[in-house]
Amino acid sequence: MRLSQQHHSLGRFHTKQWQAVCPVVCSKHSKAQPCIGSLCNSWLGCKRSCKFAGYTDMCQRSLYNKESHANTLGHRRVVTKAAVFAESVSDESSMWQWRKAQLCKIGMFAGPALSIPLADPIMSLVDTVCIGQYTGTLELAALGPTMLIFNLFTYVFTAITITTVSLVADKLRTQDVDGAGDALSSALFVATTFGLIIQAVLLCCSEQMVMFTGAAPALLAPSVTYLKIRAWSAPAVLISMVAQAGLLAQQDAFAPFIWVAVQSILNVIGDLVLIKHFQQGLTGAAWATVLSQLIGTVGLIWMLRFRGQVRPRPQIPTLQQLQELSSTFGPASLIYVFKCLCYMLLQGSATALKPALVAAHQVLWQVWNLCAFGHVPLEQAALAFLPGIQNRQEYTEWVKLLAGVGLFVGVVTALLATGVPYYLPFLFTPDVQLWPIMKSIAPQCAISMVLCALDVSASGILMASKDLLFLARAMAISFTAVVIYFKAITGQGWQLGGTWWGLCLFFCIRAVQSCHHLYSSQQSAQQMHTISGFESDKLRAVAITAEASG
């Protein structure tokens, strides 16, 4: 028997029972109103809008449908999101159906969203493949310090992507389209400003930066040339990151995916023409990447202005807007600064080795970097879905899903990354002397990849709960441990394998801290939820007793 039919059969006694379960009164239907007829008797038929606990939705379950009947009898009952979720997953079968639906939602979101973090690594990987195939080992090794420096600047400003998604999505959740436009305009202004600063620094100090990485003297000249050319694309890279984040916050992941595909195709064509046909080497690879990124940025801005609901405007942000932006961007950027410093230690340790070891490291590092950026949509999914969940049980299930997806993605990307040195080394370099070196560090590559995915998924959940200070503190601890490690192995003859074990150590410490803190937070929240539920039960019992005695 359906719940709305049960109400008619049980009458006033049933209403008191329901009132005991749901103590909060629906604010829209608190007064007696006439029943709207047979629509209320159907499982999915009621079209009345119920506003309860600050949440507005359409009545689509019998849990809502009894509202009209209860009001007809002069009684009031509660509709809560917790009750809706509890009913929808009342048995194991329905729970698996719910999990399957949420996994599909995560997949539909994270699939196209891969385009945002993979944009620049794809450009770098294409350069690595073409340089390895059509030039010498020396130029391939020279990509190492240049990629380290350029990716350092751009990776730090990945925080602006997270900040943009968070702010724009929050504004749209409250139907504040103008506020979302202001937040997006402010983020674009900040990205443009820092992009120009990065460009100036790279053009003026490129030689000093390459020397600071500890690169061998033979790599200095080609590295500086490549880095100075890539500097011209710095503003475009940051602007495109913010534009992609703005589209993603509007649930439009298709447009960024299309333009990243266009950039990749243009980069491949440019590399083949300039490197293979005109024999331009590193210079040709750099110009092909710059031109493809500029074209892609123009396309993204056009899509943002004419396709999205939120349209940015050329404006200088106010002090209040900058403060709102910095409240998230500051701690998030600190997290990425420490992570980049750890990567600098890793790359500095590798580039100080022999050119053959550096070249082998550079190939596998580019593959690892590409796969690791594939974990970023786990962070974005947590930021997009978790803030809107108010029910503790549903939130806990989402956390379990994201953690499980993180482990699965980590295993898949580990297999992909380690498959390159074992089965596809010829795609990156024809130098057979590098292949055994690449295979020797494949185990460390796989271990660090799985740990990285676990850390990213846990960190995304903690970011969604605004626990940025813990993440920054944990990152500082991890960085300190890695510094001590590299100091300890200096001069021990561990070579390239020791460098990659340092990467494993970094992500092991990160994953342990993040997962432990997340588990502790969930346990504390569950205890608080149990205590609050017990107190609510006591209050409901007192209210029912008073009503019965009256």
Side-chain angles (χ1 to χ4, degrees), residues 42 81 138 159 167 262 270 292 299 348 357 402 468 486:
S42 64
K81 294 182 75 175
L138 183 64
L167 289 179
V262 170
S292 62
L357 295 176
L402 289 171
L468 295 175
F486 278 109

Side-chain angles (χ1 to χ4, degrees), residues 331-380:
S333 61
L334 189 63
I335 295 169
Y336 287 102
V337 165
F338 279 118
K339 187 177 287 190
C340 286
L341 289 175
C342 290
Y343 289 164
M344 284 188 66
L345 287 174
L346 172 75
Q347 287 287 76
S349 175
T351 53
L353 301 174
K354 296 179 181 179
L357 295 176
V358 178
H361 163 79
Q362 179 59 29
V363 170
L364 199 56
W365 175 250
Q366 288 299 324
V367 176
W368 188 95
N369 199 36
L370 181 67
C371 293
F373 272 104
H375 303 158
V376 175
L378 297 173
E379 280 183 349
Q380 296 168 342

Side-chain angles (χ1 to χ4, degrees), residues 270-294:
D271 280 344
L272 292 176
V273 172
L274 294 177
I275 299 175
K276 183 179 180 181
H277 183 70
F278 289 103
Q279 301 293 317
Q280 292 297 308
L282 276 177
T283 302
W287 280 117
T289 303
V290 169
L291 292 175
S292 62
Q293 287 176 331
L294 290 174

